[in-house]
Amino acid sequence: AQSVTQLGSHVSVSEGALVLLRCNYSSSVPPYLFWYVQYPNQGLQLLLKYTSAATLVKGINGFEAEFKKSETSFHLTKPSAHMSDAAEYFCAVATWRGKLTFGTGTRLTIIP
Amino acid sequence: DTGVSQDPRHKITKRGQNVTFRCDPISEHNRLYWYRQTLGQGPEFLTYFQNEAQLEKSRLLSDRFSAERPKGSFSTLEIQRTEQGDSAMYLCASSLEQGADEQYFGPGTRLTVT
């Protein structure tokens, strides 16, 4: 069975500061990994995905994530936070059939 | 590309009533998924279709829940005899194929059972 653990249900950073959202996964096979963002009362939007190509993955809105097999991690980063980044972020792992297993989410707050 | 649409966006119903939700995926997408999201949690997988075939159902999907995708296009999710525990956001997603293909999510249907 696959699972995802997101450390920190709430993260607050100052505008312009580094954003780091943590995700650890468990998978018996090489995983497909995703980060999604959810704004209030909306569906999920894909930020980026890892599919066993480059270990450093660049996504939309300046976000990137690095796949580290030895640490079973897929942390999400952004060098400089913007007010519009305030949202809920979900890490997810997929089976080959495409079924997504999500973490419990991290709510990101940006401090002006 | 009109994206994934869901109808209705909000539904308030009384306990014991039946409700039906509709999802229209992106037109060329073969895969369609249903997820349920409760407050403060990540979405949980319910079921998925490859064209019109329902290939997997979660144990979360009790016998009160049924999903169909009759012509491999839109899908419906019906909940019979609703319970307060069914209150949640029901999300639909679609993708071209499986595995690494990203799923595009609709805006969701928020169900409130009173």
Side-chain angles (χ1 to χ4, degrees), chain B residues 38 65 93 107:
Chain B
T38 53
F65 288 71

Side-chain angles (χ1 to χ4, degrees), chain A residues 34-52:
Chain A
F34 302 80
W35 275 99
Y36 282 85
V37 61
Q38 186 176 35
Y39 297 99
N41 298 313
Q42 294 187 25
L44 283 76
Q45 180 183 10
L46 180 70
L47 280 177
L48 50 80
K49 67 177 183 181
Y50 167 76
T51 59
S52 74

Side-chain angles (χ1 to χ4, degrees), chain B residues 5-10 20-24 34 75 107-109:
Chain B
S5 61
Q6 293 185 247
D7 183 69
R9 293 290 307 276
H10 302 275
T20 300
F21 310 141
R22 177 181 170 121
C23 170
D24 286 88
W34 285 99
S75 175
T109 294

